[in-house]
Amino acid sequence: MEPAPGPQEKYHLITRNLQEVLGEDKLMAILKERELKIYWGTATTGKPHVAYFVPMSKIADFLKAGCEVTILFADLHAYLDNMKAPWELLELRTRYYENVIKAMLESIGVPLEKLKFVRGTDYQLSKEYTLDVYRLSSVVTQHDAKKAGAEVVKQVEHPLLSGLLYPGLQALDEEYLKVDAQFGGVDQRKIFTFAEKYLPSLGYAKRVHLMNPMVPGLTGSKMSSSEEDSKIDLLDRKEDVKKKLKKAFCEPGNVENNGVLSFIKHVLFPLKSEFVVLREEKWGGNKTYTAYEALEKDFAEQVVHPGDLKNSVEVALNKLLDPIREKFNSAELKKLTNAAYPNPSKAKPAEKGTKNSEPENVVPSRLDIRVGKVISVEKHPDADSLYVEKIDVGEPEPRTVVSGLVQFVPKEQLQDRLVVLLCNLKPQKMRGVESQGMVLCASSVGEPRQVEPLDPPAGCCAGERVYVEGYEGGEPDDELKPKKKVFEKLQADFRVSEDCVAQWKQRNFLTKLGRVSCKSLKGGSIS
């Protein structure tokens, strides 16, 4: 077993290949005392491309140095950045990012169990975080907020207020993720210095900031998700990779703004510590480079031909992409990819007068779902399998609800518990007792059957609205008509996700404080 690296070796691993470090002395001081806690965040907007291997290779370095690493899927940031991710696609894109980032890490041998994965909306909608956003907005000037986001937030002629909030949220993430350092590209520098200036004004510590160089795209500018020809998608077919590399800027002898050389330097060399130029024997045969500088020198002196360089990059890149393509060849992930990034030419127009494309009579906003607090629980006088509960849903009097949970949930676990209640079903007598709602529960798929009441986010109050993501604007029916079967049609698509979140058609059940979930029944149904 290799001995643990010392502080100096850890410092080298953490900082190698970085363009800049803010807070070097503090970084070394922490390493002399304990392991560094660090996070890298990515806004869930356009499809991740091959340049994402740059931060992935640094995450591998952080883990080798013993760091505690958190990866943040910044879904709320994606929405705030000029709505790059529409609200109705936010959850789908976040799930896509989770899957593709994990596939990238696995393809370069990073152990996922050593990483912590967090979504922004898991904590950014909490009362405490929201109050800190307001506190921060009371001390930050408009000038500083705009300046901080200039390199990251999309710049438009008439900027939205959301773009000014973006840097403040990223600064607060450092405190709420309880880290010592944040890692990102050098394009984040203004946000990092913004955080260093303003977090102490709220009584929070200044963090260390680590910055990677920006990788030029194949056209010679920054590799961007929004510029199709400048980047290679992680799921591009081999023929697409060949086509894009063929068009890439790679002038003989020119090492300035050379996207192909830059990709070798910042992606392939850090991952493999070498690069092999493949060429026919008549042109000198294959040559292995163990230092990038030697390759760049040979290219500048035209010892290496652009065509050979491109062909060699193509082979090396496809080896990295093959396991990712294979993983995303499953029916489930193909469906997720198409849903998260729908083809605009195939999009169905919304029905006239409606916000969403689903038929008007089955939109989930017609359901009156609320957070309820169980005030009392008693056995039904005439049915051993039924409870009679009194549930507070924010009305003058609690509702009486009959539910068949006796064999699944002990009475004491229901008492004073927060539940999710469907409130606009037609009242119905159950063995002589009128039930004025339905407690929504997750159910296991297999036998023996397990049932768990859905859990609203901590901190919710009785009566708070529960809605499906993207359908928060509609008004619920006063009472659902049994013959119309509105609830039954919607309920057919209720599911529990793999991370135990309640969903309708892969869209989350939410309150203003976050996602509705269950304890453990992954992949279950909801009724």
Side-chain angles (χ1 to χ4, degrees):
M1 187 175 178
E2 293 184 11
Q8 197 64 48
E9 189 179 349
K10 288 179 180 178
Y11 182 89
H12 170 71
L13 282 168
I14 290 167
T15 60
R16 71 174 180 178
N17 294 327
L18 294 180
Q19 183 162 322
E20 188 177 3
V21 178
L22 299 177
E24 292 170 285
D25 293 342
K26 184 173 184 178
L27 172 59
M28 181 55 81
I30 292 169
L31 292 174
K32 287 178 180 177
E33 292 183 7
R34 57 176 173 80
E35 307 297 3
L36 185 75
K37 298 177 181 177
I38 187 168
Y39 98 89
W40 172 73
T42 179
T44 53
T45 53
K47 282 185 180 179
H49 44 72
V50 292
Y52 277 62
F53 277 117
V54 178
M56 298 303 104
S57 64
K58 277 311 301 175
I59 286 168
D61 282 345
F62 298 151
L63 291 175
K64 287 175 190 172
C67 298
E68 297 177 24
V69 182
T70 297
I71 292 180
L72 171 67
F73 297 109
D75 46 359
L76 195 56
H77 286 78
Y79 183 70
L80 290 176
D81 186 2
N82 210 46
M83 294 184 288
K84 282 184 181 176
W87 189 262
E88 63 271 14
L89 294 179
L90 212 54
E91 162 65 14
L92 294 167
R93 290 194 176 175
T94 303
R95 286 179 52 218
Y96 178 87
Y97 264 69
E98 286 185 32
N99 280 282
V100 86
I101 294 294
K102 288 176 181 179
M104 291 181 76
L105 290 164
E106 288 171 334
S107 81
I108 62 171
V110 174
L112 298 185
E113 63 272 12
K114 291 188 176 182
L115 295 163
K116 182 180 179 183
F117 296 93
V118 178
R119 294 185 184 197
T121 47
D122 287 343
Y123 64 91
Q124 289 167 346
L125 300 176
S126 69
K127 177 181 177 182
E128 294 77 15
Y129 189 95
T130 303
L131 287 174
D132 269 345
V133 172
Y134 286 129
R135 288 174 65 205
L136 196 60
S137 68
S138 71
V139 295
V140 172
T141 65
Q142 180 185 357
H143 172 270
D144 283 1
K146 186 176 181 180
K147 179 183 174 184
E151 300 293 326
V152 177
V153 178
K154 186 176 180 180
Q155 301 301 299
V156 293
E157 185 179 355
H158 301 291
L160 300 173
L161 178 60
S162 59
L164 298 178
L165 295 175
Y166 189 110
L169 268 67
Q170 188 167 335
L172 287 173
D173 289 341
E174 297 179 347
E175 173 65 24
Y176 280 79
L177 291 172
K178 302 302 178 188
V179 294
D180 307 305
Q182 183 179 173
F183 164 61
V186 74
D187 61 338
Q188 305 272 333
R189 193 182 195 283
K190 290 177 181 177
I191 290 183
F192 291 166
T193 55
F194 172 93
E196 292 188 8
K197 177 179 179 179
Y198 282 107
L199 278 187
S201 68
L202 299 187
Y204 298 143
K206 185 189 295 187
R207 267 62 177 192
V208 175
H209 293 103
L210 311 171
M211 283 165 274
N212 247 347
M214 298 307 295
V215 178
L218 299 176
T219 57
S221 58
K222 173 185 171 183
M223 195 175 287
S224 169
S225 295
S226 60
E227 295 178 22
E228 193 61 32
D229 285 340
S230 82
K231 53 95 179 182
I232 295 173
D233 190 273
L234 294 164
L235 302 181
D236 273 351
R237 300 171 302 165
K238 290 186 177 183
E239 50 266 43
D240 293 326
V241 172
K242 180 184 286 290
K243 181 180 175 183
K244 289 181 180 181
L245 281 171
K246 190 174 182 179
K247 292 168 62 178
F249 174 77
C250 191
E251 187 179 33
N254 187 348
V255 298
E256 298 296 323
N257 291 320
N258 186 319
V260 179
L261 270 180
S262 295
F263 185 75
I264 296 170
K265 179 180 179 179
H266 296 298
V267 177
L268 297 177
F269 253 105
L271 292 176
K272 300 292 184 182
S273 300
E274 66 175 30
F275 182 74
V276 180
V277 174
L278 305 170
R279 55 190 176 187
E280 296 179 28
E281 288 297 330
K282 64 180 179 180
W283 302 119
N286 296 350
K287 184 172 181 180
T288 300
Y289 291 88
T290 55
Y292 170 77
E293 292 73 19
L295 172 63
E296 186 179 276
K297 181 174 180 290
D298 277 1
F299 187 83
E301 295 174 358
Q302 299 192 36
V303 175
V304 174
H305 189 272
D308 292 331
L309 194 71
K310 289 182 179 183
N311 290 338
S312 304
V313 167
E314 181 187 340
V315 171
L317 180 54
N318 279 319
K319 284 181 181 177
L320 287 177
L321 297 182
D322 279 342
I324 302 172
R325 293 182 185 121
E326 184 178 352
K327 180 174 180 177
F328 272 77
N329 202 34
S330 71
E332 180 185 357
L333 289 182
K334 280 183 178 178
K335 182 179 178 182
L336 173 61
T337 304
N338 292 333
Y341 298 95
N343 186 335
S345 64
K346 295 181 180 178
K348 295 179 181 178
E351 288 190 12
K352 189 175 181 180
T354 65
K355 179 183 175 181
N356 300 291
S357 59
E358 284 76 22
E360 186 179 342
N361 65 330
V362 291
V363 290
S365 54
R366 292 185 64 183
L367 304 180
D368 183 5
I369 307 175
R370 301 184 221 167
V371 175
K373 183 173 182 179
V374 180
I375 297 172
S376 67
V377 189
E378 301 294 340
K379 281 277 193 75
H380 192 294
D382 298 316
D384 292 340
S385 64
L386 301 178
Y387 284 132
V388 178
E389 301 123 358
K390 294 289 186 183
I391 301 179
D392 178 9
V393 289
E395 297 171 337
E397 296 294 330
R399 292 196 179 206
T400 300
V401 177
V402 180
S403 54
L405 295 174
V406 172
Q407 60 180 312
F408 302 108
V409 185
K411 179 179 174 181
E412 57 270 19
Q413 288 186 17
L414 277 178
Q415 182 67 47
D416 298 321
R417 176 180 185 147
L418 289 180
V419 294
V420 175
L421 194 72
L422 178 60
C423 294
N424 60 341
L425 289 173
K426 184 178 181 180
Q428 182 179 356
K429 284 198 173 184
M430 300 179 70
R431 301 292 291 272
V433 177
E434 186 178 82
S435 182
Q436 300 167 329
M438 176 192 292
V439 177
L440 294 181
C441 299
S443 300
S444 61
V445 176
E447 295 294 338
R449 188 179 178 222
Q450 295 175 278
V451 176
E452 297 173 356
L454 295 183
D455 292 317
C460 284
C461 298
E464 281 187 28
R465 177 89 185 273
V466 176
Y467 55 89
V468 171
E469 193 171 19
Y471 293 85
E472 53 269 41
E475 285 295 319
D477 291 12
D478 291 334
E479 184 179 283
L480 297 172
K481 305 302 180 187
K483 289 184 178 180
K484 298 285 187 182
K485 297 192 178 297
V486 172
F487 172 70
E488 290 81 354
K489 291 174 184 176
L490 291 165
Q491 189 264 335
D493 291 302
F494 285 4
R495 291 289 183 275
V496 179
S497 72
E498 287 305 305
D499 50 357
C500 292
V501 176
Q503 296 182 333
W504 174 78
K505 290 189 175 182
Q506 299 181 335
R507 301 184 185 203
N508 290 343
F509 282 52
L510 300 170
T511 74
K512 63 184 180 183
L513 294 183
R515 299 182 291 178
V516 173
S517 60
C518 70
K519 186 178 179 182
S520 65
L521 299 182
K522 299 178 181 180
S525 60
I526 298 173
S527 57

